[in-house]
Amino acid sequence: MEHEVFVPVPAERLREVLDDPARVARAVPGLQQDAGAEPVAGRLKIRVGSHSVTYRGAVRVSRRGDDAYAVEGEAEESRGSGSVKLSLRIALRAAEDGCTVVYDGTASADGRIKDFPADAVESAVTRLLNRFAEHLAAAATGADDGVPPPPPPPPSGQGTGTEAEGADPGLTEEPPASPERPSVFGADVPPSSLGPEAREDQEDQEDEEDIAEAAHARRTMIGRSAEEVDHAPPRGRYAPVPAPQTVTPPAPLRWAAPAAALAVASAIVAVRALRRRR
């Protein structure tokens, strides 16, 4: 494996970073350092295509006589039996307006990484080396250092600069503290106005209502199949409104009208028959 990356930082500044294992650990992209372990040790997640593999291991960086650095590392998969061994040489070559970081080395791996395409693995390794060189350059220029915390505020009643000099210490007073408003969350709950006998009667009444509801539910459920229960019409406020029923007269009144009509017709026939005889 051979790869080169240009960074706009002099080689001497990069050597200062590579000589400090703690700064090298901060330059490894995505490294989660283990507490109490070596400076360059912990967990590292590598993304290959649409997959990711997490390794746990350690890396040792040592300087050689030819101003190059030897990197030796071993790691194992955190969720698997695969492992990786790395032997890398880092050289810094002076260039205009910066230097070139030259990587040269070999690596062997087994486990999940062998199931991925070779071009995807090469792209992931190249991306990791590029980001490592960029982080080294940022560490050399101090861009990765945290912003220093702001100075603590002056004590109350004292100013800063000319305001402190012109202020009269005898006339400086602290603003009065605003009274705290009582919170309803911290108030004690008043005891109930009901006596012990009234509270017991109320609890007994609630228990009786619960028992009655449960008994009614059992009466309506017992003897009915699951299909009947599922298709039973709703009750209560959601029950359907029944259709209005027509009022039908009782049976005696229903036969009274035909009988009266028959009687009237018979009387008319009898009257006509009597008239003819006369």
Side-chain angles (χ1 to χ4, degrees):
M1 178 182 59
E2 296 180 358
H3 186 62
E4 296 183 359
V5 182
F6 172 80
V7 293
V9 178
E12 295 299 331
R13 302 288 299 275
L14 288 184
R15 290 191 178 93
E16 295 177 0
V17 178
L18 291 172
D19 290 337
D20 188 356
R23 301 175 72 181
V24 173
R26 291 195 297 268
V28 177
L31 177 64
Q32 299 179 2
Q33 302 185 44
D34 294 337
E38 299 180 11
V40 191
R43 295 163 54 94
L44 178 63
K45 178 182 292 186
I46 300 178
R47 189 168 188 84
V48 182
S50 59
H51 305 274
S52 61
V53 184
T54 303
Y55 290 96
R56 179 186 293 274
V59 175
R60 294 170 296 276
V61 181
S62 58
R63 186 170 183 175
R64 294 183 176 180
D66 55 351
D67 291 339
Y69 293 85
V71 180
E72 302 289 338
E74 297 180 358
E76 297 180 354
E77 294 181 5
S78 59
R79 296 183 179 179
S81 58
S83 61
V84 174
K85 292 185 178 180
L86 173 68
S87 179
L88 190 65
R89 178 178 178 272
I90 301 178
L92 305 180
R93 187 174 58 203
E96 186 178 359
D97 298 333
C99 69
T100 302
V101 182
V102 182
Y103 300 100
D104 183 11
T106 58
S108 60
D110 56 3
R112 293 180 55 193
I113 199 72
K114 295 182 65 176
D115 300 334
F116 301 144
D119 54 347
V121 176
E122 182 179 0
S123 176
V125 173
T126 302
R127 183 170 61 253
L128 182 64
L129 295 178
N130 290 340
R131 294 182 59 191
F132 178 65
E134 294 174 359
H135 291 184
L136 288 177
T141 56
D144 64 337
D145 296 340
V147 179
S156 58
Q158 296 182 5
T160 57
T162 58
E163 297 179 359
E165 295 178 358
D168 187 358
L171 300 178
T172 304
E173 297 181 358
E174 297 182 358
S178 58
E180 297 183 357
R181 297 183 178 179
S183 175
V184 296
F185 298 100
D188 298 335
V189 179
S192 175
S193 59
L194 299 177
E197 297 180 357
R199 287 197 299 269
E200 292 179 0
D201 295 341
Q202 184 178 4
E203 294 176 358
D204 294 342
Q205 185 178 1
E206 294 177 356
D207 295 341
E208 292 177 359
E209 293 178 357
D210 296 340
I211 295 173
E213 292 180 0
H216 175 71
R218 285 196 298 270
R219 287 195 300 270
T220 55
M221 296 292 292
I222 294 175
R224 304 172 64 184
S225 62
E227 183 177 359
E228 292 176 348
V229 172
D230 294 340
H231 296 82
R235 298 182 179 181
R237 58 183 299 184
Y238 300 104
V241 179
Q245 300 180 357
T246 58
V247 179
T248 57
L253 297 178
R254 183 172 55 187
W255 294 103
L262 180 60
V264 172
S266 300
I268 294 174
V269 172
V271 170
R272 289 181 179 180
L274 290 175
R275 286 181 181 178
R276 289 177 182 178
R277 289 181 181 181
R278 292 178 181 176

